[in-house]
Amino acid sequence: MNNEISTAPTIDGFNQVINALKQHNLFTIFGLVGIPITDLARQAQAKGIRFIGFRHEQHAGNAAAIAGYLTQKPGICLTVSAPGFLNGLTALANATTNCFPMILISGSSEREIVDLQQGDYEEMDQLNAAKPYAKASFRINHIEDIGIGFARAIRAAVSGRPGGVYLDLPAKLLSQTMDAQAAQASLFHLVDPVPRQIPAPDAIDRALALLQQAKRPLIILGKGAAYAQADVAIRELIEKSHIPYLPMSMAKGLLPDTHAQSASAARSYVLAEADVVLLIGARLNWLLSHGKGKTWGKPKQFIQIDISPSEIDSNVAIAAPVIGDVGSCVDALLRGLKPQNFSQSPEWVQSINERKEKNLSKMAQTLTLNPSPMNFHSALGAIKNVLNKRPDILVVNEGANTLDFARSIIDMHQPRKRLDSGTWGIMGIGMGYAIGAAVTTGLPVVAIEGDSAFGFSGMEVETICRYELPIVVIIFNNNGVYNGTDVNPTGGKDVAPTVFVKGARYDKMMEAFGGIGCHATTPQELTEGLEKAIASGKPTLINAVIDEAAGTESGRLTTLNPKTAAAKK
Ligand code: ADP
Ligand code: MG
C-alpha cells in the first residue's frame, strides 16, 4: 500500500482529507461519485486508497457498516450531496441501530445558499437531516480543521457503543488550500480511541452472586458480544460455568452452533423456563420479545453486560447491570467465577438436552425430504452440507422465510461469519454486506437471499462482477414476497401486491455482467452449483427454484403483522 504523504508546499482540501484517512489507516472507501466528490475518489485511488464504486449509495453505506462491524474500525462511505446523502443515510441509520461503526462522508452545497434556501444544486441541510439518525454529526468548514474533524468522527464512531457518524464536507472546503507542512502537523495519531471500560467490582460481585444461586441459568450472546472480539474469554465463561447458552442471530458461531451447551434447538423452552438470564451484548428488544410476556414464561432475573448504561432497564428491570466493554466484563466475571459454588440443577441441563435431541432429529428428517419443486428446507439442507465443509465462508442472509429458515438450519462454526437483517429486520442489506465483507476479509461470501429481498440491491451484481469478488448469491425464488400464490380478487389484469414475474431467471442478471449464472431446480443441482462457484471464486448467481406455495406471510413475524395477529387471537 502507498503510504506516502503529499509533500507539496501547499495542499488542497481533497488531499488533506485523503491524508487524514491514511493517517488513521482507513484504506478503503465505499461510495458513488458525482459533484462535488468525484475528484476526491479519483485522487484517493491515485494515492493508494481502495475506492469501491457502487450503483446506489445505500449499498455503499451498508458495505461500510459491515466493514465496521467486522474490523472495529469505522467503515467509510462517500456520497454526493442531497439525494446521494439521503440514499446513504438509510445505511447510516441502520448502522447506528445495529451499533456498527461507520462514517458517512457527503459533499454538500454552498452553506450561504442552503441556509437562505435560495435554491442551490442539490440543496439540503444535510447536517441537521443526519442528526436524528446518527450517533454524531459534524461539518468541517476549514481545511485547518480536517485533522480535528476526522479525530472527532472516528472517536464518536468507535468509542463506547459504536454507531454511525455523519461528516459533512462542503464543496468549498475541498478547494481550500493551506501550507502543506502545517497541514501535516494538524493531523495526529489518536491515543486510545476505543478505551476499555472496566466494570465496577461491586457490579461483578452482584452478578456472580445471582448467577451462583440460579437453578436454571441461561446465557444469551448478542452481536455486541460478537463485535467485541472477546471470543476466547466468552467461550471460557460458558464452558467453565457449564451454563447453557443461546446465540442471537449474528452471534451464531461465536461458539460453534454444534457446541454441546448450545440451547438453540430448545430456544422456546429455555426462554420460558430459565430463572436467571445473563445477557452479553444483547438488547431486550423485539427480537427477544422485550423480555416479557408468554415467550419468557416463568419469572426471572436478568444480569446484563452492556457498554451503554442507558440500555439497562429499557424494557424490564435488570437485577444486576454490568457496565463495561464485553471483554473486560467477561474477564472480570471469569476472575471471580467459582463453579463449585453454582446451584445449576442437573435436571435443567438434562431436559434441555432431551428437547434438543428431539428437535434436531426432527429437523434432520425434514432436511432429507426431497419434494419437487424444492421447498426452503430441502434447498437449505443442500446449502448446509456444502457450507459445513467451509466454516471460513461468510454468510449474508435476508428475506422473510429465507431469513427465518436459514438462521435455524445453517450452522455457523466461527465468530462473525453470519451477517443478516439485524436489529431492524431490514431488507436490502444483501449485496452491500456481501461486497463489504468480501472486500474487507478477502474471503468467499455466500448470500442467501429471498427473491424480494434481493431486489432491493440486485443492481450491485454489476459491482460484484466489476471487482471480481468471490461472492455467490443464492436467490430463493418463489415468485413473490412471502410466496407467489396470491391472486387479485377483482380478476383484473394486475397481479396481487405480493406477486412477481413467475419463473424469473435471476441467474441471467449475473451473466449480463460477465459472472456465472446457475439455474437450480433440485438440491443436487444446487449443491453442484454452489460447490463449483466456491471452488472457482467467480461471481455467481444461483437461481434456486422454490415451491411458490412454500412461504408463509411475514415468515415467523406473525405477531407483528396486523392481519395474521388478528387471525391468531
Ligand atoms: P442482538 O441483536 O444480537 O441481540 P443487539 O444489537 O441487540 O444484539 O445488542 C448489542 C448490544 O451490545 C448493544 O446494546 C450495545 O450497546 C452492546 N455493545 C456493543 N459493543 C459492545 C462492547 N464492545 N462491549 C459491550 N457491549 C457492547
Ligand atoms: Mg419470495
Side-chain angles (χ1 to χ4, degrees):
M1 236 165 275
N2 182 352
N3 253 317
E4 104 202 22
I5 305 272
S6 173
T7 51
T10 64
I11 187 169
D12 63 11
F14 286 112
N15 280 290
Q16 184 66 352
V17 167
I18 292 162
N19 285 348
L21 288 166
K22 290 169 79 168
Q23 169 78 22
H24 301 296
N25 291 320
L26 299 169
F27 280 102
T28 307
I29 298 174
F30 302 96
L32 206 164
V33 296
I35 294 172
I37 50 87
T38 309
D39 217 42
L40 183 56
R42 211 180 263 136
Q43 294 196 45
Q45 185 178 58
K47 303 237 158 61
I49 289 179
R50 191 160 191 211
F51 182 83
I52 304 290
F54 283 70
R55 306 302 298 263
H56 188 288
E57 293 87 348
Q58 189 179 127
H59 313 309
N62 284 329
I66 212 64
Y69 171 70
L70 291 169
T71 63
Q72 299 182 325
K73 288 202 309 192
I76 303 295
C77 176
L78 180 66
T79 81
V80 302
S81 28
F85 155 79
L86 281 176
N87 288 342
L89 187 57
T90 306
L92 189 74
N94 183 57
T96 306
T97 303
N98 281 283
C99 317
F100 299 160
M102 78 171 270
I103 302 176
L104 173 67
I105 302 177
S106 298
S108 60
S109 305
E110 296 309 327
R111 287 248 44 81
E112 293 79 355
I113 301 177
V114 172
D115 290 347
L116 278 172
Q117 298 180 31
Q118 294 173 312
D120 205 359
Y121 166 74
E122 296 190 346
E123 174 181 296
M124 174 173 266
D125 183 2
Q126 295 167 199
L127 185 74
N128 282 307
K131 270 185 185 158
Y133 308 106
K135 188 178 167 193
S137 302
F138 305 102
R139 177 186 295 128
I140 306 175
N141 288 298
H142 301 292
I143 186 171
E144 292 80 5
D145 292 332
I146 287 174
I148 288 289
F150 270 84
R152 288 188 64 56
I154 292 167
R155 273 192 191 276
V158 294
S159 61
R161 172 186 276 184
V165 173
Y166 175 59
L167 190 57
D168 193 82
L169 303 186
K172 261 190 189 167
L173 171 80
L174 298 170
S175 57
Q176 287 173 26
T177 57
M178 73 182 284
D179 174 73
Q181 246 183 343
Q184 184 53 44
S186 72
L187 301 177
F188 55 96
H189 171 72
L190 299 189
V191 178
D192 199 13
V194 190
R196 279 185 309 154
Q197 298 195 18
I198 314 290
D202 57 322
I204 292 294
D205 292 345
R206 196 185 295 119
L208 283 170
L210 194 51
L211 210 53
Q212 275 182 16
Q213 69 178 59
K215 298 263 180 302
R216 300 182 307 280
L218 174 69
I219 295 175
I220 296 182
L221 303 173
K223 61 180 165 313
Y227 174 82
Q229 300 194 13
D231 310 341
V232 174
I234 288 171
R235 185 169 187 147
E236 200 180 326
L237 178 69
I238 286 171
E239 291 182 344
K240 281 207 170 135
S241 68
H242 305 290
I243 297 174
Y245 76 95
L246 261 188
M248 296 300 289
S249 188
M250 282 178 62
K252 276 165 66 78
L254 196 39
L255 282 77
D257 278 333
T258 49
H259 195 282
Q261 284 169 258
S262 166
S264 288
R267 187 176 194 272
S268 355
Y269 177 74
V270 290
L271 288 180
E273 296 293 320
D275 61 353
V276 173
V277 178
L278 164 59
L279 299 158
I280 308 184
R283 286 172 281 187
L284 285 174
N285 56 18
W286 68 283
L287 288 158
L288 281 170
S289 309
H290 304 283
K292 53 196 168 192
K294 227 175 90 203
T295 308
W296 289 89
K298 294 192 176 144
K300 56 203 74 207
Q301 291 184 288
F302 288 99
I303 304 164
Q304 183 164 23
I305 297 180
D306 206 288
I307 203 153
S308 170
S310 60
E311 183 58 37
I312 306 305
D313 299 336
S314 55
N315 283 272
V316 294
I318 301 297
V322 181
I323 303 306
D325 68 272
V326 163
S328 301
C329 294
V330 172
D331 283 346
L333 285 179
L334 273 171
R335 278 195 297 274
L337 201 68
K338 295 195 183 68
Q340 67 276 16
N341 295 349
F342 275 36
S343 340
Q344 171 164 242
S345 90
E347 294 82 52
W348 171 235
V349 176
Q350 196 188 331
S351 55
I352 294 172
N353 286 342
E354 279 163 16
R355 274 169 183 84
K356 260 180 78 172
E357 270 159 46
K358 209 175 90 204
N359 292 339
L360 287 174
S361 76
K362 217 164 80 190
M363 177 61 90
Q365 275 178 357
T366 313
L367 293 185
T368 56
L369 298 178
N370 192 359
S372 180
M374 287 191 284
N375 60 13
F376 289 94
H377 289 89
S378 63
L380 285 165
I383 298 171
K384 175 191 177 98
N385 291 335
V386 177
L387 291 182
N388 272 343
K389 289 178 251 166
R390 282 297 300 270
D392 59 319
I393 287 181
L394 289 116
V395 174
V396 171
N397 188 202
E398 61 176 336
N401 294 279
T402 308
L403 178 75
D404 290 338
F405 287 122
R407 182 175 51 237
S408 56
I409 292 171
I410 307 284
D411 282 336
M412 305 310 298
H413 306 277
Q414 294 179 7
R416 295 169 295 283
K417 296 293 187 184
R418 187 185 154 81
L419 315 170
D420 68 22
S421 301
T423 303
W424 262 349
I426 193 177
M427 295 299 123
I429 47 87
M431 298 307 101
Y433 278 12
I435 294 167
V439 166
T440 305
T441 65
L443 292 167
V445 178
V446 173
I448 305 172
E449 300 273 312
D451 51 351
S452 162
F454 171 71
F456 291 83
S457 64
M459 190 64 210
E460 302 298 343
V461 295
E462 190 276 328
T463 310
I464 294 172
C465 289
R466 191 166 9 112
Y467 293 100
E468 300 178 20
L469 297 170
I471 295 174
V472 190
V473 184
I474 306 173
I475 313 273
F476 276 53
N477 186 356
N478 65 353
N479 296 342
V481 183
Y482 308 133
N483 54 45
T485 52
D486 263 18
V487 288
N488 177 344
T490 70
K493 187 166 168 297
D494 289 347
V495 297
T498 53
V499 169
F500 295 148
V501 166
K502 299 214 186 257
R505 291 292 300 271
Y506 290 98
D507 46 319
K508 305 277 183 201
M509 287 176 69
M510 194 61 108
E511 288 175 0
F513 303 105
I516 291 166
C518 168
H519 183 64
T521 58
T522 63
Q524 177 75 20
E525 286 171 358
L526 182 49
T527 303
E528 283 166 16
L530 180 55
E531 279 178 340
K532 218 172 121 189
I534 292 169
S536 76
K538 296 218 170 88
T540 303
L541 192 153
I542 302 175
N543 183 51
V545 179
I546 305 291
D547 185 351
E548 67 170 9
T552 56
E553 181 149 337
S554 319
R556 282 192 202 148
L557 301 184
T558 44
T559 52
L560 296 182
N561 177 341
K563 178 185 144 194
T564 44
K568 266 197 152 179
K569 272 189 191 147

